[in-house]
Amino acid sequence: PFVLTPFIHLGDGGSSVARRYVSMPHQIELLRGADAILAMTEHEAEFVSSMGVAAERIHVVGAGVSPERVTGGDATRFRTRHNIHGLLVGSIGTLASEKGTHDLVRAIQQLRRLGNEVELVLAGAALSQFERWYTGLEAPDRSGIHLLGVIGDEEKRDLLAAIDIFALPSRTESFGIVYLEAWANRKPVIAAEVGAVPELVRDGQNGLLVPFGNPGAIA
């Protein structure tokens, strides 16, 4: 038997770039040829069904984390290492516009201009589009922003222990395992109200949802 877990990142609409990248002929052929498909969310399952896959072959299973692998970090060690003193917002994932990274940086800029002592730590590989945009910012607009790049497991646990708020206002999540990692560390979550994310992050219940691409709402 051929079992497929596609992890489809659908974006925020039928014409989104993300959706076009997961509905190419060879990908549809794989979906239709699978004996069973393990979908992360009902949102993903609906898309797979729209590609001509029979409902009885689609199973929504979600995802999970092992708490002992993502908890137990040293918050003081992290804050000392990166010279952080105020309220700290953290994000883990690829640094890119589709992940809402630009919007998150702009939100922090807004808060700091209003006199709020808040800093942002970004962990993950940066796409060239983000690097070009970020290096073009004036020095004051980069203050309070910490770019860590790709980090190891210990640094990730320390980051999750040290932050006050986790934010990933992305529009291209097939599920969002990192939200579970934040919750395992008892951290509040901010996410974008788009795609499959609202199935996981329910506004006002276990997190806060904001419109994608809205730095003011994030702030």
Side-chain angles (χ1 to χ4, degrees), residues 7-192:
F7 292 114
I8 298 172
H9 294 62
L10 291 170
D12 59 351
S15 61
S16 71
V17 172
R19 191 172 292 248
R20 292 200 298 273
Y21 272 113
V22 296
S23 57
M24 298 179 188
H26 69 284
Q27 294 165 320
I28 296 172
E29 183 180 356
L30 283 171
L31 291 172
R32 292 174 178 171
D35 297 291
I37 291 176
L38 306 184
M40 292 293 101
T41 63
E42 295 291 347
H43 186 68
E44 184 181 25
E46 289 171 6
F47 171 79
V48 172
S49 177
S50 74
M51 293 295 103
V53 179
E56 61 268 19
R57 289 193 281 133
I58 306 170
H59 309 272
V60 179
V61 299
V65 297
S66 299
E68 67 276 6
R69 296 185 63 181
V70 296
T71 59
D74 189 325
T76 301
R77 177 170 60 192
F78 185 88
R79 284 175 171 264
T80 300
R81 181 184 301 133
H82 299 288
N83 193 29
I84 295 166
H85 305 287
L87 186 139
L88 182 60
V89 178
S91 192
I92 301 173
T94 303
L95 310 189
S97 58
E98 293 293 299
K99 291 287 188 178
T101 317
H102 300 67
D103 302 320
L104 195 49
V105 170
R106 292 185 182 107
I108 297 298
Q109 291 170 349
Q110 288 184 27
L111 290 168
R112 289 177 66 87
R113 290 188 193 114
L114 293 172
N116 296 284
E117 189 179 354
V118 57
E119 299 183 49
L120 172 66
V121 59
L122 298 169
L127 295 191
S128 58
Q129 42 136 279
F130 176 80
E131 289 181 333
R132 289 193 299 270
W133 175 79
Y134 187 79
T135 54
L137 295 177
E138 299 292 334
D141 287 333
R142 294 198 302 270
S143 65
I145 312 294
H146 305 266
L147 303 184
L148 305 189
V150 178
I151 59 176
D153 290 342
E154 181 180 77
E155 180 83 339
K156 182 177 181 179
R157 287 192 293 270
D158 288 354
L159 182 158
L160 288 167
I163 62 175
D164 298 290
I165 299 167
F166 181 83
L168 183 67
S170 167
R171 67 175 173 184
T172 56
E173 299 302 311
S174 63
F175 183 80
I177 290 175
V178 71
Y179 300 127
L180 302 186
E181 296 175 337
W183 284 329
N185 284 273
R186 304 183 67 81
K187 306 300 179 178
V189 162
I190 297 173

